[in-house]
């Protein structure tokens, strides 16, 4: 029994505004074991069409991770931090959000960004290197991918808080939105993670923090990262609800995350969800994971691949047959073909873009520097033309 | 009417809150207490606790929250309680506040005003006296502004809050209680204090002092004292370190052919080094002497009983002026 199962607010222990004990921590505590639905009776009552939808999306997600990794090998993508093995987290993070909601991804969450509707090329712009971010944050309600860890978490708090301020000031334009911040296990050690959870608790902002605990911060295992009973327990210190879920169980992920998001939406406060998952690939294509984890460990987690678990369950439940698997695979191939096509044209970033958006209006110094670069490029182009003419 | 700098800043915040519902003040002790320097006095009472929010004591959280608020269309005005207390927020300032517009190709600007009481000369402890302007000025994407007069405190803060870009607004705490005849009602901010324009505070013919913030009154005093030495010193108040007003500064230096840059912050790799370089690059053939600097020493901020030796003084400024190669 946690606070999420209970519509009543946790009771105050002490008098209002006392600085003695103020709150009973018990309702905020995560369950002792991660929430699982696959293989439990609850799976039987889980909406069948939603299960099939989850399967199709996970297959697409896996193919996206594979194709992006392939693009790095071909030199068409500079770097890709894959979320292979974490697709249940990525896909459900996008699925549980409604139109007015906001997503605050980290650099490993490209798949969640694509799953919320961004064109793959635009989601991968940062990794391709022709611009820092390829999509309009306001069109998709997704903040740019954040590279500095956990620094986007307080942004989610501020945006959610601002939405509530506006709703109070102007009910006409009120948006019952939720901000979902994606953080990794390493990110929970950052000061910004702590400050974001503390602000969220104090402000009562409609925020959900999803920690994808994939066991490693690049090479450093969780045991060297935190001595907390679970990362979800950290919520209790901020007076917010903690939830622990099997991040490779797509049904449990969808169930726990949507409950958390609707909990926050209804004004009952923020939620911290820890999803226990595993990064099947290396940190990025530039990393060598064999230096810090054993083949046996990886093999054990491959056996708990979220896609395999879900497919096995769906087949056993009679919700998926060979034709369904083939159709999902074909859709995934179509996606891969589309991604490759998007990457066919080599990028041609405009050097003038270096100066155009530093400020709303470029300073006189930036105008001078832009002119200097433009003159240099013109001279280079003239020299190239002259050399060509001479060669002829 | 006699108004202190604190009162002028308070009036600027009040008028901004009144005119624009998207303006929100947040920081430590800014609500009930009115701020440790009372700059936000009465704002929570007039506009409510949500428009002038007492936050948890965590500067990165304050600024990170402000970033999210700005993403949603609000105009946060953040108070960092002291110069050295702003450092925990530095990552948010450098990695997000300064870069978000550029990162998003202009789609997401962050109109955040970051108020930072700065500088020494108030007998404060070590971490209440830093001049941190160079850290911010070195970060592309930020405007960095510092008023030196009561009128500019009002006008520049109004401009900062109205700006669509983030502005680090450095308040010289040494001048908080300085007073001048000033009434906010008389002011047209666009005319009085646009961001990016320096102002000649005193015309002169012998040499030009280039300064800002807490050092302006010292420079004006030095200019007054210099008259008995036969020097007629011009004094330029930079007001805006970023964007930098090359035009006004260079015109003022060319007019005299000699320049001294004065600031409290340590000299090495400081704002004065940039100014001296810019002036030299642009005015070389008008200069009769190298551009000199009078700055704080390259030391951690000294204890209060020794700070008088560290801060630029009238004597140190006049000594620098004397070294401007007058006997050629």
């Amino acid at each position: 029994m946690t606070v999420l199962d209970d519509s009543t607010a946790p009771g105050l222990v002490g008098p209002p505004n006392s600085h003695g004990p103020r709150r009973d921590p018990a309702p905020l505590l995560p369950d002792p074991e991660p929430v699982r639905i696959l293989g439990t009776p609850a799976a039987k009552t889980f909406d069948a069409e939603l299960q099939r939808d989850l399967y199709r999306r996970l297959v697409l997600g896996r193919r996206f991770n594979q194709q992006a990794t392939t693009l790095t090998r071909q030199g068409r993508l500079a770097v890709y931090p894959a979320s292979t093995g974490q697709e249940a987290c990525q896909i459900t993070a996008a699925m549980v959000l409604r139109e007015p909601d906001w997503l605050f991804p980290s650099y490993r969450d490209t798949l969640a960004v694509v799953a919320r509707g961004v064109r793959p090329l635009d989601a991968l712009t940062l990794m391709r290197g022709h611009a820092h971010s390829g999509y309009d944050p306001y069109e998709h309600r997704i903040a740019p991918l954040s590279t500095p860890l956990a620094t986007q978490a307080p942004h989610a708090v501020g945006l959610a808080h601002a939405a509530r301020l506006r709703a109070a000031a102007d009910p006409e334009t009120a948006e019952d939105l939720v901000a979902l911040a994606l953080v990794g296990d390493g990110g929970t050690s950052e000061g910004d993670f702590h400050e974001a959870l503390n602000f969220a608790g104090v402000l009562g902002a409609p925020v959900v923090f999803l920690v994808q605990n994939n066991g490693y911060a690049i090479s450093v295992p969780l045991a060297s990262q935190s001595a907390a009973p679970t990362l979800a327990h950290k919520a209790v210190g901020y007076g917010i609800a903690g939830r622990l879920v099997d991040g490779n169980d797509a049904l449990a992920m969808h169930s726990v995350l949507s409950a958390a998001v609707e909990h926050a939406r209804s004004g009952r406060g923020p939620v911290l969800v820890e999803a226990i998952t595993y990064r099947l690939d290396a940190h990025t294509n530039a990393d060598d994971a064999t230096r810090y984890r054993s083949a046996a460990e990886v093999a054990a987690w491959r056996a708990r691949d979220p896609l395999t678990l879900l497919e096995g369950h769906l087949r056993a439940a009679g919700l998926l047959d060979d034709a369904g698997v083939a159709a999902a695979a074909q859709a995934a191939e179509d996606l891969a073909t589309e991604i490759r096509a998007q990457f066919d044209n080599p990028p041609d970033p405009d050097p003038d873009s270096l100066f155009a958006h530093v400020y709303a209006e470029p300073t006189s110094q930036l105008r001078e520097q832009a002119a200097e670069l433009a003159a240099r490029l013109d001279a280079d182009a003239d020299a190239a033309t002259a050399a060509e003419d001479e060669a002829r | 009417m006699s108004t202190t700098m604190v009162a002028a800043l308070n009036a600027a915040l009040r008028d901004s809150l009144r005119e624009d519902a998207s303006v929100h003040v947040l920081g430590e002790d800014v609500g009930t207490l009115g701020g440790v320097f009372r700059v936000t006095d009465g704002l929570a009472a007039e506009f409510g606790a949500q428009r002038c929010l007492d936050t948890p004591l965590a500067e990165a959280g304050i600024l990170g929250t402000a970033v999210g608020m700005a993403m949603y269309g609000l105009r946060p005005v953040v108070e960092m309680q002291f110069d050295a207390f702003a450092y925990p927020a530095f990552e948010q300032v450098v990695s997000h506040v300064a870069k978000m517009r550029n990162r998003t190709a202009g789609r997401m600007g962050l109109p955040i005003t970051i108020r930072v009481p700065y500088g020494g000369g108030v007998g404060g402890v070590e971490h209440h006296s830093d001049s941190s302007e160079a850290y911010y000025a070195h970060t592309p994407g930020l405007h960095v502004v510092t008023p030196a007069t009561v009128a500019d405190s009002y006008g520049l803060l109004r401009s900062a809050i109205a700006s669509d870009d983030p502005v680090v607004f450095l308040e010289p705490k040494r001048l908080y209680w300085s007073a001048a005849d000033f009434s906010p009602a008389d002011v047209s901010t666009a005319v009085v204090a646009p961001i990016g324009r320096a102002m000649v505070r005193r015309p002169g013919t012998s040499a030009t002092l280039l300064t800002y913030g807490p050092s302006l009154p010292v420079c004006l005093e030095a200019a007054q004292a210099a008259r008995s030495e036969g020097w007629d010193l011009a004094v330029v108040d930079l007001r805006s370190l970023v964007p930098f007003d090359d035009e006004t500064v260079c015109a003022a230096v060319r007019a005299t052919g000699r320049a001294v840059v004065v600031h409290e912050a340590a000299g090495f790799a400081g704002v004065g080094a940039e100014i001296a370089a810019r002036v030299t690059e642009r005015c070389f053939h008008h200069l009769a002497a190298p551009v000199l600097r009078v700055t704080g020493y390259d030391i951690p901020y000294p204890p209060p009983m020794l700070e008088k030796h560290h801060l630029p003084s009238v004597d140190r400024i006049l000594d620098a002026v004397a070294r401007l190669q007058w006997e050629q």
Side-chain angles (χ1 to χ4, degrees):
Chain A
M1 183 62 131
T2 78
V3 68
L4 293 188
D5 306 318
D6 187 347
S7 61
T8 61
L12 289 170
V13 175
N17 297 321
S18 87
H19 46 275
R22 294 182 306 282
R23 198 164 195 187
D24 175 9
L28 303 175
L29 284 167
D31 294 326
E33 289 296 317
V35 174
R36 288 197 178 91
I37 292 183
L38 289 173
T40 74
K44 293 192 176 60
T45 56
F46 203 97
D47 183 85
E49 194 42 50
L50 179 55
Q51 294 191 46
R52 290 196 195 92
D53 194 25
L54 278 165
Y55 171 74
R56 288 189 291 264
R57 287 169 186 257
L58 255 65
V59 172
L60 288 174
R62 176 59 51 86
R63 191 69 186 88
F64 175 84
N65 272 321
Q66 289 168 341
Q67 183 58 61
T69 302
T70 303
L71 288 171
T72 64
R73 297 200 180 110
Q74 297 167 340
R76 291 202 281 175
L77 201 52
V79 66
Y80 181 63
S83 57
T84 315
Q86 299 176 217
E87 288 91 347
C89 300
Q90 295 282 306
I91 295 295
T92 55
M95 278 178 82
V96 299
L97 296 183
R98 300 188 197 172
E99 191 275 331
D101 297 340
W102 272 77
L103 183 69
F104 288 80
S106 81
Y107 60 82
R108 196 179 299 289
D109 303 311
T110 320
L111 176 54
V113 171
V114 170
R116 188 158 164 78
V118 173
R119 195 166 68 121
L121 177 66
D122 299 336
L124 291 165
T125 294
L126 171 71
M127 319 292 177
R128 194 191 199 194
H130 59 284
H132 292 312
S133 186
Y135 52 89
D136 181 346
Y138 290 108
E139 181 188 347
H140 299 280
R141 297 201 163 212
I142 306 174
L145 298 169
S146 180
T147 305
L149 291 179
T151 55
Q152 78 280 19
H155 304 169
V157 177
L159 184 135
H161 176 62
R164 294 238 304 201
L165 288 176
R166 182 184 292 173
D170 182 11
E172 294 273 306
T173 61
E175 293 184 310
D176 285 330
L177 68 77
V178 174
L180 174 60
L182 304 182
V183 184
D185 45 301
T188 65
S189 298
E190 291 282 4
D192 280 42
F193 177 77
H194 152 71
E195 296 189 25
L197 265 70
N198 191 46
F199 272 67
V202 169
L203 297 172
V207 190
V208 175
F209 304 94
L210 170 59
V211 175
Q212 294 165 84
N213 171 8
N214 65 19
Y216 291 88
I218 302 188
S219 68
V220 177
L222 187 66
S224 304
Q225 199 69 242
S226 174
T230 72
L231 297 176
H233 275 83
K234 293 193 174 198
V236 182
Y238 305 104
I240 72 180
R243 281 292 244 170
L244 186 62
V245 58
D246 183 342
N248 286 10
D249 179 336
L251 307 192
M253 274 307 300
H254 191 278
S255 171
V256 168
L257 259 193
S258 37
V261 164
E262 296 317 313
H263 179 88
R265 193 188 310 282
S266 67
R268 284 178 289 157
V271 185
L272 169 64
V273 178
E274 176 188 359
I276 297 180
T277 182
Y278 195 76
R279 191 188 74 212
L280 288 172
D281 287 342
H283 165 62
T284 67
N285 49 299
D287 177 39
D288 175 8
T290 63
R291 292 174 70 98
Y292 53 83
R293 59 189 201 185
S294 70
E297 178 186 299
V298 178
W301 276 99
R302 271 198 197 287
R304 295 210 72 254
D305 182 325
L307 198 47
T308 316
L309 294 183
L310 184 59
E311 185 181 331
H313 160 77
L314 289 175
R315 281 181 182 274
L319 296 173
L320 183 70
D321 55 16
D322 289 345
V325 171
Q330 185 55 52
E333 280 318 304
D334 293 346
L335 171 68
T337 305
E338 187 192 326
I339 295 171
R340 289 193 297 271
Q342 287 175 12
F343 275 79
D344 266 350
N345 295 323
D348 185 20
D350 178 6
D352 202 44
S353 70
L354 292 171
F355 304 97
H357 302 298
V358 182
Y359 298 99
E361 291 292 328
T363 61
S364 63
Q365 289 80 15
L366 288 183
R367 282 196 299 271
E368 280 172 26
Q369 291 167 25
E372 179 195 318
L373 177 60
R376 174 168 300 282
L377 293 173
D378 284 347
D380 289 351
D382 289 349
T385 309
E388 264 175 44
D389 289 348
E390 195 152 320
R392 278 194 210 112
Chain B
M1 132 187 173
S2 179
T3 303
T4 63
M5 182 178 277
V6 164
L9 292 165
N10 181 267
L13 291 170
R14 176 172 280 110
D15 289 351
S16 296
L17 284 160
R18 198 174 280 153
E19 288 171 20
D20 184 349
S22 69
V23 174
H24 284 69
V25 172
L26 65 159
E28 296 154 6
D29 303 298
V30 297
T32 308
L33 181 66
V36 295
F37 294 106
R38 305 295 183 267
V39 173
T40 58
D41 188 34
L43 300 182
E46 182 171 348
F47 300 99
Q50 291 299 337
R51 296 285 303 283
C52 186
L53 182 70
D54 273 330
T55 65
L57 206 163
E59 292 78 9
I62 295 169
L63 211 43
T65 300
V67 168
M69 292 167 72
M71 283 177 167
Y72 198 69
L74 301 185
R75 283 183 183 267
V77 182
V78 165
E79 176 172 310
M80 297 280 112
Q81 199 161 70
F82 284 97
D83 32 59
F85 289 177
Y87 301 145
F90 198 59
E91 182 180 25
Q92 287 290 341
V93 175
V94 171
S95 292
H96 292 302
V97 175
K99 292 179 173 170
M100 194 64 82
R101 177 184 293 281
N102 187 61
R103 179 180 301 150
T104 58
R107 294 176 179 118
M108 183 179 264
L110 297 176
I112 301 174
T113 302
I114 305 169
R115 293 182 39 240
V116 186
Y118 84 119
V122 293
V125 298
E126 184 186 359
H127 295 96
H128 288 358
S129 302
D130 277 1
S131 292
S132 38
E133 61 268 29
Y135 306 136
Y136 301 110
H138 194 63
T139 303
L142 302 174
H143 288 326
V144 183
V145 167
T146 178
T149 68
V150 172
D152 270 2
S153 300
Y154 179 88
L156 280 174
L157 185 52
R158 293 299 304 270
S159 297
I161 295 171
S163 170
D164 287 334
D165 283 312
V167 179
V168 176
F169 191 86
L170 298 164
E171 299 170 1
K173 61 175 100 73
R174 177 146 51 121
L175 303 182
Y176 264 157
W177 301 278
S178 63
D181 185 34
F182 168 77
S183 169
D186 303 335
V187 172
S188 163
T189 59
V191 174
V192 169
I195 289 174
R197 297 313 303 264
M199 182 168 267
V200 177
R201 294 293 181 192
R202 187 188 196 284
T205 54
S206 312
T208 304
L209 304 182
L210 303 169
T211 191
Y212 55 87
S215 298
L216 176 65
V218 187
C219 286
L220 290 171
E221 199 185 328
Q224 191 64 27
R227 292 170 60 183
S228 61
E229 310 277 338
W231 293 315
D232 178 21
L233 301 182
V235 179
V236 177
D237 175 5
L238 297 172
R239 306 201 292 181
S240 170
L241 305 181
V242 183
F244 189 79
D245 186 354
D246 283 309
E247 196 184 336
T248 301
V249 167
C250 287
V253 173
R254 285 179 187 140
T256 64
R258 290 178 169 84
V260 177
V261 188
V262 182
H263 63 55
E264 268 186 47
F268 190 85
V271 167
E274 173 64 24
I275 296 169
R278 302 187 77 79
V279 167
T280 306
E281 286 167 358
R282 286 164 176 74
C283 312
F284 185 75
H285 293 291
H286 299 264
L287 289 173
V291 178
L292 298 183
R293 286 173 288 161
V294 176
T295 70
Y297 297 117
D298 296 330
I299 56 173
Y301 200 82
M305 289 183 177
L306 291 171
E307 67 180 338
K308 63 178 181 290
H309 303 296
H310 176 71
L311 298 170
S313 61
V314 168
D315 285 349
R316 284 178 65 197
I317 294 167
L318 293 182
D319 284 351
V321 171
R323 286 188 283 121
L324 289 172
Q325 303 188 1
W326 299 96
E327 289 91 22
Q328 287 172 12

